[in-house]
Amino acid sequence: ATHVLCGTAKGGAAGSPMMLSRALSRGRSRGRSFSSLGDERFAASPFFNALPKDALSRIPAPMLDFHVSGGLCHGPLVVERGNPIGSLIATLGLLPPATPAALASDPPVVEVSSEFCEATGGVKWARFFPPSCRMGSRWYWDEKKQLAVDSFTYLGIPDFAAFGFRLVPIEPPAEPSPGDPSAKGGGEVEGEGGGSAKGAAQRNPYLGFEHVTEAVWIMGVPVPLSLALTADGVSMPHVDGNGWRVEVEVSHAVVGRVVTYKGDVRMVS
């Protein structure tokens, strides 16, 4: 694999965080197809290629921007590890440490940044799990395999381990996430469109998505799913669209759970 160092995206308005969502809104209002919006970033993204077009209209703009153009989100996530063998695999894989029991009710804040890479057409992700775990990866659409790919750097080796995902749109649950601040207390909350509604009574209008592991590669070599780690998960937008619930489980068919992390993140303005 060829590693291309990505700097800040260039190109004026094309690099602005909300550009894609505005173009998407304009396209909806004019009845245009998504592919006619003229933005190569969006057309090449996993979201555009993996999700049905009617589902895209119900993904909130902040989530689209984060996964396609770049952004910053953070929030408290609880990390759990599996049995001793699973925990050993997590340690060798440089995966996040388990949240101490004393901090389970108030876990450390995890920070995730994304940045569009002009050179590769993908999005570079950087995750920081306190106190010192950093995980970098590259998120892109593989046209040949028809999968959304998250390709991780390990021990300084880019694209060492890659996971190919199928993205599945899912409806929001009847009850919002307990960590969704926009759904608490029945107060007025403002959505991305500027409207407001009572948080406790407001129905979540957005779709989330599930990412299901369909393929795994180590340094480009396919690994049978029966032998590989998988990294399935769910991302469900908050009621106001400015954050989402995230749940990810890394597991092995024989060993079971290796590591899970769950919690709610919010976009940073």
Side-chain angles (χ1 to χ4, degrees):
T2 301
H3 178 54
V4 182
L5 195 61
C6 300
T8 303
K10 299 177 182 179
S16 62
M18 295 302 291
M19 179 276 304
L20 293 175
S21 55
R22 291 194 187 110
L24 187 58
S25 297
R26 289 197 299 269
R28 292 175 193 152
S29 64
R30 296 173 187 173
R32 298 165 65 189
S33 66
F34 290 92
S35 59
S36 68
L37 292 177
D39 190 276
E40 294 181 359
R41 291 189 192 180
F42 190 60
S45 72
F47 269 179
F48 179 82
N49 288 280
L51 291 174
K53 301 306 177 280
D54 57 346
L56 280 172
S57 66
R58 290 182 59 195
I59 301 293
M63 179 178 277
L64 281 175
D65 289 331
F66 180 80
H67 287 81
V68 176
S69 188
L72 176 66
C73 68
H74 62 195
L77 301 185
V78 174
V79 180
E80 296 179 340
R81 288 191 172 189
N83 60 37
I85 296 177
S87 183
L88 175 61
I89 293 173
T91 298
L92 294 175
L94 304 181
L95 298 175
T99 302
L103 298 178
S105 60
D106 187 20
V109 172
V110 172
E111 182 175 282
V112 185
S113 64
S114 61
E115 179 184 20
F116 181 77
C117 179
E118 296 280 4
T120 65
V123 172
K124 177 178 155 185
W125 282 357
R127 307 163 179 85
F128 175 66
F129 290 79
S132 59
C133 177
R134 297 183 183 275
M135 298 164 55
S137 69
R138 186 167 64 94
W139 168 254
Y140 64 95
W141 174 251
D142 190 312
E143 181 66 28
K144 182 178 179 181
K145 299 179 178 68
Q146 290 290 291
L147 292 172
V149 177
D150 202 6
S151 185
F152 285 81
T153 296
Y154 177 70
L155 294 177
I157 304 173
D159 296 325
F160 181 88
F163 298 85
F165 297 113
R166 173 169 48 90
L167 304 186
V168 182
I170 52 176
E171 291 285 347
E175 294 295 326
S177 168
D180 180 356
S182 66
K184 286 184 176 179
E188 295 286 332
V189 296
E190 184 175 345
E192 61 169 280
S196 62
K198 291 291 182 180
Q202 187 181 15
R203 178 183 176 275
N204 191 337
Y206 301 115
L207 285 179
F209 68 93
E210 180 180 13
H211 55 85
V212 181
T213 308
E214 295 286 341
V216 177
W217 304 270
I218 300 296
M219 298 194 71
V221 178
V223 180
L225 289 181
S226 59
L227 301 177
L229 297 181
T230 58
D232 297 347
V234 171
S235 296
M236 179 57 64
H238 289 164
V239 169
D240 66 354
N242 290 318
W244 52 91
R245 173 79 177 179
V246 58
E247 298 186 4
V248 174
E249 177 170 288
V250 179
S251 63
H252 186 274
V254 176
V255 176
R257 180 175 66 185
V258 172
V259 67
T260 62
Y261 53 91
K262 302 177 181 179
D264 293 85
V265 297
R266 300 285 290 175
M267 289 296 296
V268 177
S269 300

